[in-house]
Amino acid sequence: MKAPTDNKIDYSGKLPSPPVFVVGYMHSGTTLLINILKSQSSVFSGNRETKYFMHLPMIRKVYSDLENDEVLKNFVFYAIKIVKTGFNKTEMNVKVPAEFNVQWFGDDEKRLEVLMKDAKLNRDHGAIFNLVSNHMAQSMGKSRWVEKTPTHIFHIDEMLKSVPDALFVEIVRDPRDVLASKKTRRLGVWESEKYAGDRLKKHREKAFDPLWDSLSWKSAIHAGRKARDKYPEKIILIRYEDLAENPEQKVREICDFLKMEFEPEMLNITTRNSAEDDAEDVGQTGIQTNSIGRWHKTLRSPEVGVCQWQVGEDMSDLGYSLVSISRKDKVKMPFVLAGGLFEFVRASYRRLRLGGWLYFQNVLVNYWKRVRILLFPS
């Protein structure tokens, strides 16, 4: 059904407020932050992480010729699905169905017509992501959109080329709690009913390794620091612990930076720690502090030692206190490191098996970004 003609409907694809990307290392509180921001009445957000810019090299290969109108149409259709429901590799290069789903635009066929015309004026993969997001927000009566993909912290230069007015909220968390969250999620695969019938596959997907995860956290911290030095007016840094302990103060600070009106409802979200389904804060209203310091009961002392050995200086810079590791546990650290090297090789093989060669090539590109940041931090 076509939407009724209304001259007051804005089809410009231009929004009055800049878009916002929530970034940081995974398990650092990005889900909490996106839930806070999208509860603000002027904000549109899709249902899942788009992972768009981290997969952009692969997307460009699949949709290589946007000068071809048919390829462009298929790509716009795919971009709409990414913005609304998140990245899905299996949906790439799927032809537009005869009945193009206009439900995501409020059944407004004119919106799709305008979107396709706009896309033909700028046949660039990144620009079209921005254009689709703008039109989708506009169709919902929103003045800006917010997207959350933690690993976009490594792609800010590319993102600003495509979305030049974008703002970023970077969230950081004690790396020991990050490791504890990842460890709990992996172990929980065997216990949670959510993964019943698919436990082996999910166990392969949910990686945990003290060495690699610590280095990955460090690379994200360095990427964020480099971006803040380069674009100080574009990025705000928030510590998860400060947000949890002083929610109104920190949310107001974020809103001031984004030039977004603070609304009390932003503090009344339902907390759900996705890594710990049985956590005591699940289902509670409001921002909780229960997840702070969970590493004390989740990580073994040698795992803590490996983490602090790798990222202790960055932890101190961010205000996280280090704990002493006994001589006995230091002796065990090499075994944790050896297990980490084995896990890295195994995880790489799993990604190749699960995603195929093109996907694995994209993974290697993203790995190299992290390694390069560690080797050349400045």
Side-chain angles (χ1 to χ4, degrees):
M1 180 180 69
K2 292 186 178 182
T5 302
D6 187 346
N7 294 329
K8 294 181 180 180
I9 296 178
D10 187 355
Y11 291 101
S12 68
K14 298 178 181 179
L15 300 176
S17 300
V20 179
F21 290 98
V22 173
V23 296
Y25 190 59
M26 62 183 72
H27 295 257
S28 291
T30 53
T31 298
L32 170 65
L33 191 51
I34 188 69
N35 286 337
I36 291 170
L37 292 176
K38 73 181 185 180
S39 66
Q40 209 270 359
S41 59
S42 69
V43 169
F44 163 78
S45 178
N47 297 332
R48 298 181 63 188
E49 298 174 7
T50 68
K51 301 181 181 179
Y52 187 84
F53 290 93
M54 68 177 286
H55 289 308
L56 191 53
M58 178 171 59
I59 290 171
R60 283 176 170 150
K61 288 182 179 179
V62 174
Y63 299 94
S64 58
D65 184 15
L66 293 190
E67 292 301 317
N68 182 305
D69 284 351
E70 187 65 24
V71 175
L72 179 68
K73 182 179 180 181
N74 290 337
F75 176 65
V76 170
F77 175 69
Y78 181 60
I80 291 171
K81 299 197 76 173
I82 285 182
V83 170
K84 182 62 179 178
T85 62
F87 176 81
N88 188 330
K89 178 180 177 296
T90 61
E91 294 177 342
M92 296 184 75
N93 212 22
V94 175
K95 291 185 178 180
V96 181
E99 293 296 325
F100 198 109
N101 191 340
V102 297
Q103 183 177 1
W104 293 337
F105 289 106
D107 292 328
D108 189 345
E109 293 183 3
K110 181 178 177 181
R111 174 76 62 184
L112 285 173
E113 293 173 4
V114 173
L115 172 58
M116 286 305 306
K117 288 180 181 179
D118 290 344
K120 290 177 180 179
L121 296 175
N122 194 348
R123 299 170 186 256
D124 175 80
H125 297 83
I128 289 175
F129 174 85
N130 187 23
L131 183 65
V132 167
S133 300
N134 283 355
H135 272 289
M136 192 165 289
Q138 199 169 69
S139 73
M140 302 296 177
K142 305 297 184 179
S143 62
R144 76 192 318 162
W145 51 267
V146 177
E147 193 275 344
K148 184 269 286 189
T149 298
T151 48
H152 278 164
I153 188 69
F154 300 105
H155 305 274
I156 289 177
D157 284 337
E158 177 74 32
M159 294 163 76
L160 284 173
K161 291 177 184 177
S162 301
V163 194
D165 61 337
L167 298 174
F168 300 84
V169 183
E170 178 192 1
I171 188 166
V172 299
R173 185 183 185 186
D174 187 324
R176 295 164 298 192
D177 273 333
V178 171
L179 264 63
S181 180
K182 294 197 72 176
K183 184 177 183 178
T184 300
R185 172 169 286 185
R186 189 173 199 194
L187 294 174
V189 168
W190 303 110
E191 301 171 359
S192 174
E193 289 301 318
K194 181 170 61 174
Y195 302 118
D198 199 20
R199 298 189 191 279
L200 184 58
K201 179 181 178 182
K202 290 298 180 182
H203 182 70
R204 290 171 177 167
E205 291 176 353
K206 310 297 183 184
F208 165 71
D209 167 52
L211 174 61
W212 176 246
D213 289 333
S214 296
L215 289 173
S216 295
W217 179 89
K218 182 176 183 175
S219 65
I221 295 300
H222 286 203
R225 185 182 301 145
K226 185 176 182 179
R228 292 195 305 277
D229 289 342
K230 191 173 183 179
Y231 311 106
E233 77 288 352
K234 290 282 189 180
I235 308 172
I236 184 174
L237 175 67
I238 297 292
R239 290 199 335 161
Y240 171 84
E241 295 79 8
D242 297 335
L243 176 61
E245 292 173 346
N246 302 289
E248 182 170 346
Q249 175 188 336
K250 288 300 170 182
V251 173
R252 285 184 179 275
E253 183 179 329
I254 294 168
C255 287
D256 287 344
F257 175 78
L258 300 176
K259 294 181 172 56
M260 175 188 293
E261 183 179 352
F262 170 80
E263 296 175 356
E265 291 76 12
M266 299 172 76
L267 304 177
N268 295 329
I269 64 169
T270 299
T271 302
R272 184 179 186 277
N273 188 323
S274 59
E276 302 184 24
D277 288 339
D278 60 346
E280 54 191 287
D281 59 346
V282 173
Q284 294 187 18
T285 300
I287 301 167
Q288 306 297 315
T289 60
N290 298 333
S291 294
I292 299 175
R294 279 200 173 131
W295 63 269
H296 287 283
K297 63 180 181 180
T298 304
L299 297 183
R300 296 182 294 113
S301 187
E303 294 171 336
V304 175
V306 167
C307 177
Q308 293 185 164
W309 171 56
Q310 291 293 328
V311 302
E313 185 177 344
D314 292 300
M315 289 176 61
S316 298
D317 288 344
L318 290 166
Y320 299 118
S321 300
L322 278 65
V323 298
S324 60
I325 305 297
S326 69
R327 183 175 300 178
K328 178 182 178 181
D329 287 324
K330 286 181 179 178
V331 171
K332 298 177 182 178
M333 286 170 53
F335 296 97
V336 176
L337 294 171
L341 294 174
F342 173 74
E343 178 62 27
F344 175 76
V345 174
R346 188 168 64 170
S348 298
Y349 177 70
R350 286 199 303 263
R351 286 178 171 84
L352 177 60
R353 287 287 304 276
L354 291 171
W357 176 241
L358 184 60
Y359 175 80
F360 187 63
Q361 283 182 298
N362 201 85
V363 169
L364 292 178
V365 170
N366 288 314
Y367 277 170
W368 172 239
K369 284 181 179 290
R370 301 185 190 191
V371 172
R372 187 173 56 192
I373 288 170
L374 293 174
L375 294 176
F376 311 105
S378 59

